[in-house]
Amino acid sequence: MTEQPLNDLVIDDVRVTFDGFVAVDGVSLRVGPGDLRFLIGPNGAGKTTLVDAITGLTPATGSVRFGGRELLGRPVHRIVRLGIGRTFQTATVFENLTVLQNLDIAAGTTRRPHTLLRRRRTVPDEVQRALETTGLTGQRDRAAGTLAHGQKQWLEIGMLLVQNVQLLLLDEPVAGMSHEEREQTGQLLQRVGEDRTVVVIEHDMDFMRAFAASVTVLHAGRVLSEGTVAEVRADPRVQEVYLGETAVA
Amino acid sequence: MTDSSTSKSPTAPARWARWRTPLGYALGALVLFGLAPLVLSDFRLGQLARYLCVAIVAVGISLAWGRGGMLVLGQGLFFGLGGYAMAMHMKLADAGAGQLPDFMLLYGSTDELPWWWQPFSSPVVALAAVLVLPMGLAALIGWSVFRRRVRGAYFAILSQALAAAFAILLIGQQATTGGTNGLTNFQGFFGFSLHDPVNRRTVYFLIAATLLLLMLATRQLFHSRYGELLVAVRDSEERVRFLGYDPALVKLVAYVLSAGMAGVAGALFVPAVGIISPALIGIVPSIQFVIGAAIGGRASVAGAALGAVAVAWAQTTLSEEFPSAWTYFQGGLFVVVVAFLPGGLASLWHLAAARRRQRTEVVTAA
């Protein structure tokens, strides 16, 4: 779908401080092109804050580069235009608009201003593709507010797809989903990850084991461990942090 | 299946729904251009012209508030800028070349035309100013306010304060603005005598045509991609930012357009009613603009326009009967509508349609 070469996400010594509290304490990591990276760690490890820093929501020091371009210091909507999209823990779709309208708006940033003044007469190709990829074709004309929880998350991912983002940052995409929905979401992520880089923040260890290509463990604002699922699970430091949490042990 | 319909299902009621809007506008044009001039006296027609000016402001409010979520409580500011720009030109045209407007002679504090009056002797400059002054100021206000993410009640209070400040400024400069009395006693409108009933009728037609055109243009905007984007910004500004848009810019467009409509309304109000004064542009009239749109239905162009006309009409009729009670009644009506029927009276139609659709869905499902 995309012709341009995939880009590296390179995070170098990123620090985020809230009123003296250090939420992210010098994180450095690299996510290669085409990776499906899971970001795990106990509550307060700084996972969401790190994603906030990458997407321009929280001021941070250090350096975040995507495809060689520095992201820190740019306003949110400019970072998006460099090909980086994210979702939030609670699905935020435009409840009063239909699925089609939601996707169409997401696809609109590359359009020229005057086209905004016209009505949408047909379904744009990229929107149609996103509908098919996310399996929402049947829900096209429904108001997004009436979708099931899982469908809203898929719609959000679909909105990132039509934006043609190269890097997807997903914050707990399967929280609150049924087992079946988790399975479908995992398969969707693998489909999406074929020609994009995906970073997933997740608490659900079963989900991680089933779908992660690589894992980074954060703890107290630092990188604790990194590697494949098996490597990370074998790391004694990880076991220590998760002591008592049967999911990893 | 039609792609142009947003949420309507292609069932039987939808088929004639496609004709509802063109028919509605045709009916509106018929009433405004055919029926009203036929049955109304010249005096009543003049009053209707005044209500239609309020409706033009309301159409702008339906865009900024109904779609954009910006509670514009200070449209009087832009209405006044348009109105004064037009009034200044008419005063200068009445006085003749090189002469001072009558009120300046009366107050006698100056024997030279102030520099900022001079450009308005040109009709082209005055007409351009009717649009440029309100829209330019709105762009300035909007840019500084939306970028700092001021919204909700803070934005409403700010816009109201600006309208109040403008009215106070005008009152303070009596020698050059006419002060509390405003600008009045106009003789002609671009060379046509305003004492001639035929010309007054033409002004009414001009206003009616402007209203219908602006309603159609705003309706198109509502159904365009920009209209969808504006709703998205209203519902979740942060989310739109994460789609790569600058929400400040999206809101700014709607705000500036609504200011432009208020300016046009003010400019047309002057020849129709024969006066523009601080009392017509301060806080109270600014709130009244919003009340009409709210009662009729801020999310619908036609609802806002009809609501504005109805409220303005009720105000004249009822305030003649119960001068003191009207304000309370109006305030009460506003509270009731905003609390219990946020979409205004126009939403009753949609509620009924949704109820009907629900029923058919139940029937087909069963």
Side-chain angles (χ1 to χ4, degrees):
Chain A
M1 198 159 114
T2 53
E3 269 93 56
Q4 58 262 66
L6 290 168
N7 291 318
D8 273 5
L9 174 70
V10 183
I11 299 172
D12 188 26
D13 195 28
V14 165
R15 272 166 220 279
V16 180
T17 313
F18 298 116
D19 280 334
F21 170 73
V22 184
V24 176
D25 189 11
V27 167
S28 301
L29 61 95
R30 188 173 163 279
V31 185
D35 203 350
L36 177 50
R37 173 74 55 98
F38 273 61
L39 215 53
I40 66 167
N43 279 326
K47 306 181 296 287
T48 300
T49 311
L50 181 62
V51 168
D52 285 349
I54 297 170
T55 52
L57 207 55
T58 306
T61 59
S63 158
V64 178
R65 286 170 170 275
F66 183 65
R69 271 182 292 204
E70 181 62 51
L71 304 184
L72 296 187
R74 287 183 201 252
V76 167
H77 66 278
R78 298 257 173 237
I79 293 176
V80 174
R81 286 178 177 225
L82 291 178
I84 296 156
R86 74 172 288 184
T87 64
F88 294 85
Q89 284 178 18
T90 45
T92 43
V93 293
F94 306 115
E95 311 246 320
N96 292 319
L97 300 176
T98 64
V99 169
L100 175 59
Q101 286 172 325
N102 269 278
L103 290 170
D104 189 64
I105 284 178
T109 42
T110 50
R111 292 193 192 118
R112 286 199 293 202
H114 69 92
T115 62
L116 281 175
L117 297 178
R118 296 208 205 109
R119 266 182 205 225
R120 174 173 23 73
R121 296 281 176 204
T122 56
V123 180
D125 290 343
E126 69 269 30
V127 170
Q128 188 57 44
R129 275 199 299 272
L131 282 170
E132 283 159 16
T133 313
T134 54
L136 289 172
T137 316
Q139 273 68 42
R140 198 186 76 174
D141 294 319
R142 276 178 65 187
T146 67
L147 292 179
H149 173 75
Q151 291 172 325
K152 280 188 194 173
Q153 282 286 4
W154 300 334
L155 174 57
E156 275 216 287
I157 294 171
M159 286 162 78
L160 298 181
L161 297 183
V162 292
Q163 274 175 265
N164 203 8
V165 299
Q166 305 301 304
L167 172 65
L168 288 85
L169 304 162
L170 309 176
D171 198 349
E172 298 193 26
V174 298
M177 279 191 185
S178 68
H179 183 72
E180 205 174 314
E181 285 176 324
R182 276 164 206 246
E183 199 64 27
Q184 287 174 308
T185 307
Q187 286 160 6
L188 172 61
L189 291 185
Q190 286 180 331
R191 272 202 302 283
V192 165
E194 282 167 11
D195 43 16
R196 296 178 192 80
T197 309
V198 182
V199 175
V200 183
I201 296 178
E202 199 43 77
H203 275 298
D204 186 310
M205 294 304 156
D206 292 329
F207 183 66
M208 179 201 80
R209 271 198 293 272
F211 296 104
S214 62
V215 182
T216 298
V217 186
L218 287 186
H219 177 55
R222 292 167 182 274
V223 176
L224 189 70
S225 178
E226 198 167 290
T228 63
V229 177
E231 283 166 4
V232 167
R233 286 176 73 194
D235 190 326
R237 287 171 302 175
V238 177
Q239 287 173 352
E240 194 182 325
V241 167
Y242 275 96
L243 198 66
E245 296 201 21
T246 48
V248 165
Chain B
M1 252 180 105
T2 55
D3 286 318
S4 56
S5 71
T6 45
S7 57
K8 297 172 202 101
S9 56
T11 48
R15 218 170 302 143
W16 75 270
R18 193 187 318 168
W19 294 101
R20 209 176 67 215
T21 308
L23 279 177
Y25 277 84
L27 189 71
L30 205 67
V31 169
L32 288 178
F33 289 98
L35 193 64
L38 213 61
V39 300
L40 293 179
S41 67
D42 282 339
F43 173 69
R44 291 289 170 197
L45 200 64
Q47 279 188 321
L48 182 58
R50 176 196 186 127
Y51 307 154
L52 295 185
C53 289
V54 179
I56 294 176
V57 182
V59 170
I61 290 174
S62 76
L63 178 66
W65 185 32
R67 288 283 150 144
M70 296 164 269
L71 179 46
V72 282
L73 267 184
Q75 291 300 84
L77 170 61
F78 307 119
F79 183 82
L81 282 171
Y84 271 91
M86 179 62 83
M88 283 161 73
H89 171 70
M90 286 163 69
K91 273 281 147 210
L92 290 172
D94 283 351
Q99 299 293 310
L100 286 182
D102 51 5
F103 76 94
M104 285 193 192
L105 297 170
L106 188 69
Y107 301 135
S109 57
T110 174
D111 17 288
E112 207 186 322
L113 196 62
W115 61 267
W116 52 273
W117 268 77
Q118 281 164 11
F120 289 92
S121 58
S122 149
V124 178
V125 170
L127 283 178
V130 162
L131 283 176
V132 171
L133 285 181
M135 292 174 86
L137 184 63
L140 212 68
I141 296 170
W143 183 241
S144 44
V145 165
F146 299 142
R147 238 176 1 143
R148 290 186 178 78
R149 306 187 191 179
V150 176
R151 48 193 161 207
Y154 301 101
F155 174 77
I157 291 167
L158 182 82
S159 57
Q160 189 173 55
L162 287 169
F166 183 50
I168 292 165
L169 178 77
L170 289 167
I171 293 171
Q173 308 293 319
Q174 178 150 19
T176 50
T177 64
T180 323
N181 300 332
L183 301 177
T184 180
N185 197 20
F186 302 105
Q187 310 299 319
F189 181 57
F190 293 102
F192 296 97
S193 167
L194 283 174
H195 298 294
D196 186 342
V198 177
N199 290 341
R200 296 179 66 97
R201 215 161 247 246
T202 312
V203 169
Y204 161 81
F205 285 127
L206 182 65
I207 291 170
T210 309
L211 173 63
L212 283 177
L213 278 178
L214 286 175
M215 281 172 75
L216 282 172
T218 309
R219 210 190 113 75
Q220 168 64 25
L221 216 52
F222 273 25
H223 291 93
S224 70
R225 282 182 154 131
Y226 171 75
E228 291 173 355
L229 184 57
L230 192 58
V231 171
V233 170
R234 179 192 71 192
D235 291 352
S236 177
E237 203 170 316
E238 280 309 313
R239 188 70 185 83
V240 172
R241 192 168 280 125
F242 277 101
L243 295 178
Y245 297 98
D246 186 355
L249 218 56
V250 178
K251 289 165 87 172
L252 188 69
V253 171
Y255 184 55
V256 167
L257 286 176
S258 82
M261 287 189 232
V264 168
L268 292 168
F269 182 89
V270 174
V273 183
I275 184 171
I276 187 82
S277 73
L280 292 165
I281 67 174
I283 289 181
V284 174
S286 292
I287 293 176
Q288 281 167 351
F289 289 141
V290 169
I291 290 179
I295 289 174
R298 62 189 193 233
S300 134
V301 180
L306 289 173
V309 171
V311 168
W313 170 80
Q315 187 185 11
T316 351
T317 348
L318 294 180
S319 63
E320 281 165 13
E321 308 271 324
F322 325 96
S324 54
W326 164 249
T327 320
Y328 295 105
F329 179 71
Q330 193 179 33
L333 200 58
F334 184 51
V335 171
V336 167
V337 166
V338 169
F340 298 107
L341 199 61
L345 295 176
S347 66
L348 283 177
W349 175 273
H350 293 289
L351 286 178
R355 187 74 52 83
R356 206 166 43 225
R357 199 158 44 231
Q358 234 166 28
R359 216 175 306 144
T360 44
E361 260 167 34
V362 169
V363 169
T364 40

